Amino acid sequence: INRKKSETYSATPDSNLFLEVFATITEPRRVTRGNFKHQLQDILLLVFSAVLCGANDWNEIEDFGWESTRMA
């Protein structure tokens, strides 16, 4: 992402900064099989959010993801 050094970011609910940053990460998974259920940037945002909320392992991250979809 090309941003000016002086540019600031707001913490508004409609801010997509994390998704913008995560979208710049190269997809390491094989893309030829077409078996992707979720985009990489969505997975990264879920993991980041879960860990920020206290998840300590993959089971807790999965639980966080399920709870997040129930609340939506």
Side-chain angles (χ1 to χ4, degrees), residues 1-3 9 15-27 40-42 44-45 48:
I1 299 174
N2 296 327
R3 299 202 188 266
Y9 302 104
S15 174
N16 291 322
L17 177 60
F18 285 114
L19 292 178
E20 288 178 31
V21 171
F22 291 154
T24 64
I25 298 172
T26 304
E27 172 65 77
L40 179 63
Q41 64 191 30
D42 295 336
L44 294 173
L45 183 59
F48 179 81

Side-chain angles (χ1 to χ4, degrees), residues 3-66:
R3 299 202 188 266
K4 296 176 185 173
K5 207 173 198 182
S6 62
E7 195 171 357
T8 60
Y9 302 104
S10 65
T12 59
D14 61 338
S15 174
N16 291 322
L17 177 60
F18 285 114
L19 292 178
E20 288 178 31
V21 171
F22 291 154
T24 64
I25 298 172
T26 304
E27 172 65 77
R29 300 177 292 175
R30 290 182 296 203
V31 295
T32 56
R33 299 224 177 156
N35 57 354
F36 292 100
K37 190 171 185 179
H38 303 286
Q39 293 182 7
L40 179 63
Q41 64 191 30
D42 295 336
I43 295 168
L44 294 173
L45 183 59
L46 170 70
V47 171
F48 179 81
S49 300
V51 170
L52 190 62
C53 290
N56 293 310
D57 58 30
W58 289 112
N59 291 327
E60 291 179 359
I61 292 169
E62 180 183 14
D63 291 343
F64 179 87
W66 284 112

